[in-house]
Amino acid sequence: MATVRQSMIYCSVAAVLGIVATVYPNDLEVSPDGLKLIAGYENCVSNAYKDHVGVCTIGVGTTRNLGGSKIQMSQKVTEQEAAALFVRDVKEAEQCVFKYLNGDSMPQPVLDATVSLVYNNGCYGTRWNKKANRPTYIARYAVSGDWYNVCYRLGDFINAGGKPSQGLINRRAAEQKHCLKYRG
């Protein structure tokens, strides 16, 4: 089977983070270092493309436009639009962490790393293990306020398309390192 090559037009993650800091300075609970952690494992791409599991993506890893519809392959975004999408998606990840994972009690590095996980993995997938039909270990530890084990369990989420992904292994290691900063 032949692989279709995608042409991607990159935008600047640094510019998007600069726009977020300037235009949305008090809109997020994640720290500037947490935003760098999240964005550092996403590219900024101005045109829609299919990610490695086939999901149509744009900007800094978003799969929905500002209206909430799925990204279409014909779409393009400016850095300002990418920043708005990034802020919206980070806010949604934060809301999940605060609602389901005891985010109000989390030390800042734990919050940053957990929001990064939810941003990448989704709210439901982070808190519920469908195969075992139970809450994930990370959700159990978060609800109980066991921050060390929240940090440790970030490594549970390394699969993409049902297989371990080196990119996710690297991302979870960086999240875990950031998360453990809460211990001083």
Side-chain angles (χ1 to χ4, degrees):
M1 185 166 142
T3 303
V4 177
R5 296 204 71 157
Q6 300 181 84
S7 175
M8 295 194 290
I9 302 166
Y10 291 95
C11 46
S12 169
V13 170
V16 168
L17 290 175
I19 293 165
V20 170
T22 304
V23 178
Y24 308 96
N26 300 310
D27 286 15
L28 300 170
E29 300 298 323
V30 172
S31 72
D33 284 343
L35 293 174
K36 288 178 192 171
L37 177 68
I38 297 167
Y41 281 90
E42 305 284 348
N43 287 314
C44 184
V45 182
S46 297
N47 62 308
Y49 67 97
K50 295 220 178 195
D51 70 9
H52 64 283
V53 292
V55 177
C56 202
T57 307
I58 203 165
V60 186
T62 193
T63 58
R64 294 175 296 116
N65 64 30
L66 284 171
S69 300
K70 287 183 177 182
I71 297 297
Q72 300 300 311
M73 285 302 292
S74 60
Q75 287 183 256
K76 293 182 175 14
V77 292
T78 65
E79 287 172 341
Q80 292 78 12
E81 292 166 330
L85 291 165
F86 183 65
V87 168
R88 184 221 35 219
D89 291 351
V90 171
K91 278 184 186 180
E92 288 177 1
E94 287 177 345
Q95 289 167 353
C96 172
V97 171
F98 283 104
K99 183 173 182 177
Y100 298 107
L101 301 172
N102 197 14
D104 287 322
S105 300
M106 286 181 175
Q108 189 67 52
V110 178
L111 177 69
D112 292 347
T114 307
V115 170
S116 180
L117 172 66
V118 172
Y119 184 93
N120 176 246
N121 193 59
C123 185
Y124 185 78
T126 299
R127 60 190 178 85
W128 191 258
N129 182 328
K130 286 192 290 188
K131 287 182 182 176
N133 196 30
R134 62 163 172 74
T136 60
Y137 287 115
I138 201 167
R140 290 177 180 184
Y141 289 125
V143 169
S144 71
D146 183 345
W147 308 130
Y148 174 79
N149 277 307
V150 168
C151 296
Y152 175 74
R153 286 296 180 169
L154 289 163
D156 290 351
F157 301 89
I158 59 166
N159 291 335
K163 298 177 185 175
S165 159
Q166 189 60 52
L168 290 179
I169 291 168
N170 296 344
R171 182 179 186 145
R172 300 301 170 240
E175 289 167 347
Q176 189 174 60
K177 183 178 178 182
H178 184 86
C179 190
L180 289 168
K181 289 179 182 178
Y182 86 92
R183 300 177 81 194

